[in-house]
Amino acid sequence: MNATRGLCCAFLTILAPWAYMFSVIEDYPSWVSSIPAVLVYFIASGAKVPHINWRKTMAQAKEKTTNTAHVSDAIELDTPIVRGEQTIDSVSVRKPTAGELRGVNLSDVLQLQTDALMKLIPRLSIPSLTDHEARQMDPADLVQLGSEVAGFLVSKRAKGEAA
């Protein structure tokens, strides 16, 4: 730890004049001049610099965004969606949050009303579809995706599943 503290102090002796020079400039934020003082206090107090394992952190972030318990199985599209050179053959939908249901009548979603589905599918699809792609979608594919979304809105008790 002493070597780390020594390196940080050496770094601060180089950084301090630059921070002072930037604090003299009018448009530069005033808090810049306090950075060296805070770092010196931090190092002198013997506080340990936290070690971040970025690979683990990124893996955890991906895991949080793709929670498979709330994502439907891939739905094969009857008519694939062409986006530039990419062709989307299958789409999954994830369980909506309350905020994503904003502006949509839930009874319309349960009745598979076209306007409600075209509003929700771009918000919930994986890979994410655009509004235009949702409007141009084959009606059979729209109904399949809509029935998956409607299935997320029905309680486990109503489905007859164990809670």
Side-chain angles (χ1 to χ4, degrees):
M1 186 65 181
N2 288 336
T4 305
R5 197 173 294 159
L7 285 173
C8 289
C9 288
F11 179 70
L12 286 176
T13 56
I14 296 169
L15 179 70
W18 286 97
Y20 174 75
M21 185 175 64
F22 285 130
S23 66
V24 173
I25 299 173
E26 290 180 23
D27 295 337
Y28 215 75
S30 61
W31 53 265
V32 171
S33 60
S34 64
I35 291 175
V38 169
L39 289 175
V40 166
Y41 175 77
F42 182 75
I43 293 167
S45 66
K48 294 184 179 178
V49 179
H51 174 72
I52 299 174
N53 185 346
W54 289 106
R55 290 182 187 197
K56 183 177 179 183
T57 305
M58 293 303 291
Q60 289 171 345
K62 285 182 182 178
E63 182 179 315
K64 286 180 184 176
T65 59
T66 58
N67 188 352
T68 57
H70 299 290
V71 177
S72 72
D73 293 333
I75 299 167
E76 294 295 324
L77 300 178
D78 290 344
T79 306
I81 298 170
V82 178
R83 182 187 295 165
E85 294 181 12
Q86 179 186 12
T87 301
I88 302 172
D89 295 330
S90 64
V91 177
S92 297
V93 289
R94 59 182 174 74
K95 186 174 184 175
T97 61
E100 291 167 329
L101 295 172
R102 217 178 32 244
V104 177
N105 189 342
L106 295 182
S107 63
D108 289 347
V109 175
L110 291 171
Q111 294 174 3
L112 302 179
Q113 295 288 327
T114 307
D115 291 335
L117 295 179
M118 285 191 300
K119 198 172 201 179
L120 270 181
I121 287 174
R123 298 178 188 177
L124 306 175
S125 60
I126 303 170
S128 185
L129 301 177
T130 64
D131 291 334
H132 177 72
E133 290 168 342
R135 285 192 301 273
Q136 299 300 321
M137 187 179 288
D138 186 323
D141 296 332
L142 183 72
V143 169
Q144 277 188 308
L145 292 173
S147 62
E148 285 291 329
V149 172
F152 285 132
L153 302 179
V154 178
S155 69
K156 290 180 181 180
R157 187 178 309 140
K159 291 180 191 177
E161 295 177 5

